[in-house]
Amino acid sequence: MVLVLTIITALVGAILGSVYKLTEAPIAQANAKAQEEAIRYVAPDFDNNPIAESDTITVEGQHIIIYPAIKDGKNVGAAVKASTNNGFNGEIVVIAGFEVDGTIRQYRVLSHSETPGLGAKMEQWFRTDKNNQSILGRNPETCNLTVSKDGGDIDAITASTITSRAFLQVISTAYQAYMKRPLDALSSSTKKSSQTTQPTQQEEANSHE
């Protein structure tokens, strides 16, 4: 019996290993395609390779990935991937797109475990042009990106305040990461002389005011 079980286990292991090898490449390609589509959906129009030029920085202990959007050699914004574990049912991962001045352009919820019909509504709720739900077109520099119950400017999802707080926290963290990052880290096209102090995203935005 032990010999039979050993042989069966070995065969199953070999089969699973073979299946993994066969599906590894297609899964990786599908994930890469989904990631590229998400970046194109949220970021301003670009002609560079944001994934190849991406950078990871840390904000308040969170590792944030920034995908720079460059058009005709100029920085036009970015897609920023961030997450939080403060959702009602755990982790929420979001990719948000920002214009060069930090204005929120678009977002996509990449993964979550929130309650269907309640917290799961965040995928559409915060882009719906109704009352004070939408965060699109808002700039966290001038908008209090917290729920109205906490004194903020955004209406929480009905009966899902915890999810709403977590979602807005992710967007705020992504914004902080984007505005904190020096321009020379976005693309070689934005680099200046090493003898020149590099402006931050916020300083560039202010120079246009």
Side-chain angles (χ1 to χ4, degrees), residues 142-184:
T142 56
C143 170
N144 185 347
L145 213 62
T146 55
V147 297
S148 54
K149 180 180 291 187
D150 298 334
D153 297 329
I154 309 299
D155 290 342
I157 302 170
T158 305
S160 297
T161 302
I162 293 176
T163 299
S164 300
R165 285 174 176 148
F167 173 86
L168 295 174
Q169 176 194 352
V170 173
I171 299 297
S172 295
T173 301
Y175 168 79
Q176 292 174 42
Y178 173 59
M179 300 306 284
K180 176 181 178 182
R181 191 183 191 207
L183 281 177
D184 64 338

Side-chain angles (χ1 to χ4, degrees), residues 8-161:
I8 292 175
T9 301
L11 288 174
V12 171
I15 293 172
L16 289 176
S18 298
V19 171
Y20 174 76
K21 286 295 182 181
L22 290 173
T23 59
E24 182 179 16
I27 290 175
Q29 292 174 358
N31 290 338
K33 182 178 180 180
Q35 183 180 45
E36 182 178 353
E37 290 177 348
I39 293 171
R40 289 193 175 280
Y41 179 71
V42 303
D45 187 37
F46 55 83
D47 56 21
N48 66 317
N49 187 338
I51 296 177
E53 298 172 21
S54 65
D55 189 29
T56 301
I57 67 174
T58 302
V59 175
E60 298 180 355
Q62 291 284 336
H63 297 298
I64 316 300
I65 303 177
I66 301 179
Y67 303 96
I70 309 297
K71 182 72 171 180
D72 298 327
K74 294 179 60 178
N75 167 42
V76 294
V80 184
K81 182 180 178 181
S83 65
T84 179
N85 290 317
N86 294 331
F88 186 75
N89 288 317
E91 186 180 46
I92 296 173
V93 182
V94 176
I95 186 166
F98 298 95
E99 305 289 354
V100 69
D101 66 348
T103 299
I104 301 168
R105 182 179 183 277
Q106 191 55 268
Y107 73 86
R108 175 170 287 180
V109 179
L110 299 179
S111 65
H112 71 87
S113 299
E114 302 305 277
T115 307
L118 292 174
K121 289 181 178 179
M122 62 185 160
E123 177 61 52
Q124 296 299 329
W125 181 277
F126 296 105
R127 63 165 58 94
T128 302
D129 188 17
K130 179 181 179 182
N131 300 323
N132 293 309
Q133 292 180 204
S134 179
I135 64 172
L136 305 187
R138 299 200 184 217
N139 191 315
E141 180 69 19
T142 56
C143 170
N144 185 347
L145 213 62
T146 55
V147 297
S148 54
K149 180 180 291 187
D150 298 334
D153 297 329
I154 309 299
D155 290 342
I157 302 170
T158 305
S160 297
T161 302

